[in-house]
Amino acid sequence: MNEPHLERGFFLTLLAAVTIAFVWLLLPFAGAVLWAVALAILFTPLYKWLRRATPGKPTIAALVTLVLCLVIVILPLVMLGISLVGEIATLREKIKSGQLDYAAYFQRILDAAPVWLTDLINRFDLGDKAIWQQRISQGAARASQVVATQALAIGQNTFEFVMSFFIMLYLLFFLLRDGALLSRKIRQALPLAEEQKQALMSKFATVIKATVKGNVAVALVQGTLGGLAYWFLGVQGALLWAALTAFLSLVPAVGGALVWLPIALYLLATGETWQGFGLIAWGALVIGSIDNLLRPILVGKETQMPDYVVLLATIGGIALFGINGFVIGPVIAALFMACWSLFVDSQEAGLVRRPEDL
């Protein structure tokens, strides 16, 4: 029996087992770890600048960076979240009290519809107005109930959220201060050629920065511009629609148009012509152009991923991992493409034996 091979096989099995166990331990706080890593990558340039300004004091530089991260990013998002929860609660109460009657809104659309559309509805027996009104009311009630349930779940999990929040801050501090050392250790542990290690680490960092810095910034700007338009036009729940615009802006290609376009069509259908056309113009010329204007500045072409890959990866990531998926999805896709690119390059260079050579 070959003792060295047996020992190595046992050690690799043990290494895989303890690695899986460690990842399993971290799963309850996977979101905290993900955002700590993402923010550390994003704020590392600031930390390095502060490190040069405070030689010999890495802890002070990391603490100052952490405070700036709190002030610039985290606290504004927390305040926005609190305001959004209040807006959702107010909207739900208006639906329950009848102040917001979606059935009546639907009736207004039908009344404003052209004759040919009404004839088409009747010809295909799509149901009378009363049935559709009932469906709209029931759908709105169910939607408000789902929102209320999610808000209640968030309230019940406040302790878990607070714990995850402080774990993220704790990890962020150490990743800022000791991130370079940790990165070197990871590179040393990877059983790859040095250029392959560098390519993978660089791709990982690039996609994280591109996703967080680029996509989130673009989404916030588009949500803000959409919210201002909804508020100016007197749309009910402007803050909620602005948040939805920002969230859907994370999805490439379609983005915030999934929110502002239906609102504009509703305004047109109910006779508010200039408001509807104004929102369409604002959405197409201003909100839509923000993506083309800001994304190249903030992200550039560093990710080198086709738009359709980014779209599928983002949607798939959100479907599997929730809100964290808009970061996880593109990262997985980028690493997938990078690994296959390295494999093809190594084959061409003769570094990997083809099956027929074995």
Side-chain angles (χ1 to χ4, degrees):
M1 185 178 292
N2 195 331
E3 292 292 336
H5 284 216
L6 180 61
E7 291 177 2
R8 178 172 176 78
F10 175 78
F11 176 74
L12 291 177
T13 302
L14 178 63
L15 181 63
V18 296
T19 302
I20 293 172
F22 181 69
V23 171
W24 179 63
L25 286 175
L26 295 180
L27 280 180
F29 304 104
V33 175
L34 169 68
W35 286 106
V37 172
L39 290 173
I41 292 174
L42 194 62
F43 279 86
T44 290
L46 176 61
Y47 167 74
K48 289 181 177 179
W49 182 84
L50 291 171
R51 185 78 172 81
R52 291 191 295 269
T54 56
K57 298 179 180 179
T59 300
I60 298 297
L63 281 173
V64 173
T65 306
L66 185 63
V67 171
L68 290 175
C69 179
L70 273 170
V71 173
I72 296 171
V73 177
I74 298 175
L75 289 182
L77 289 178
V78 170
M79 297 302 296
L80 178 62
I82 293 172
S83 300
L84 184 58
V85 170
E87 182 81 5
I88 291 172
T90 302
L91 192 63
R92 181 170 180 265
E93 289 301 319
K94 287 183 177 181
I95 293 174
K96 290 178 63 178
S97 65
Q99 288 180 264
L100 286 179
D101 189 351
Y102 285 101
Y105 295 158
F106 183 68
Q107 181 65 53
R108 290 175 61 186
I109 294 176
L110 288 178
D111 292 341
V115 176
W116 65 267
L117 182 57
T118 305
D119 292 340
L120 189 65
I121 292 174
N122 294 330
R123 182 180 303 173
F124 286 95
D125 194 23
L126 296 177
D128 59 30
K129 298 178 181 180
I131 293 177
W132 279 107
Q133 283 180 283
Q134 183 181 5
R135 290 174 179 172
I136 293 293
S137 298
Q138 291 175 348
R142 282 196 296 268
S144 66
Q145 186 61 41
V146 169
V147 170
T149 302
Q150 292 298 321
L152 180 61
I154 292 172
Q156 291 174 339
N157 295 327
T158 300
F159 177 75
E160 181 181 339
F161 172 79
V162 171
M163 182 177 291
S164 297
F165 179 74
F166 282 103
I167 287 175
M168 183 197 70
L169 294 180
Y170 185 76
L171 283 176
L172 178 58
F173 168 77
F174 285 102
L175 288 174
L176 287 169
R177 195 187 67 176
D178 306 326
L181 176 62
L182 180 61
S183 177
R184 284 198 300 270
K185 288 185 176 296
I186 292 175
R187 283 201 300 269
Q188 291 171 0
L190 291 175
L192 297 170
E194 187 60 36
E195 61 273 13
Q196 292 175 331
K197 297 178 186 180
Q198 188 64 34
L200 287 176
M201 297 291 284
S202 175
K203 177 63 71 174
F204 177 79
T206 297
V207 174
I208 288 286
K209 285 190 289 186
T211 303
V212 177
K213 183 178 66 175
N215 292 355
V216 172
V218 169
L220 288 175
V221 173
Q222 289 186 330
T224 301
L225 292 173
L228 290 173
Y230 308 145
W231 169 79
F232 179 76
L233 295 175
V235 177
Q236 290 284 347
L239 180 61
L240 176 59
W241 298 121
L244 286 174
T245 302
F247 177 73
L248 291 174
S249 295
L250 297 172
V251 180
V254 286
L258 292 174
V259 179
W260 59 257
L261 184 57
I263 293 175
L265 293 177
Y266 166 76
L267 293 173
L268 289 174
T270 54
E272 300 182 55
T273 307
W274 76 264
Q275 292 93 330
F277 281 118
L279 184 56
I280 290 175
W282 180 262
L285 300 178
V286 180
I287 299 177
S289 65
I290 289 298
D291 189 271
N292 297 328
L293 178 65
L294 288 184
R295 199 178 300 275
I297 297 174
L298 296 173
V299 179
K301 299 297 182 181
E302 297 174 354
T303 57
Q304 297 179 348
M305 284 197 298
D307 290 340
Y308 61 87
V309 174
V310 177
L311 174 63
L312 293 176
T314 302
I315 295 176
I318 292 174
L320 289 175
F321 304 105
I323 187 64
N324 296 326
F326 85 88
V327 176
I328 299 175
V331 168
I332 293 175
L335 292 178
F336 168 80
M337 297 181 68
C339 287
W340 275 101
S341 177
L342 290 173
F343 177 74
V344 171
D345 291 344
S346 63
Q347 275 194 324
E348 293 177 351
L351 297 178
V352 175
R353 290 184 295 172
R354 293 180 172 83
E356 59 267 23
D357 296 332
L358 298 178

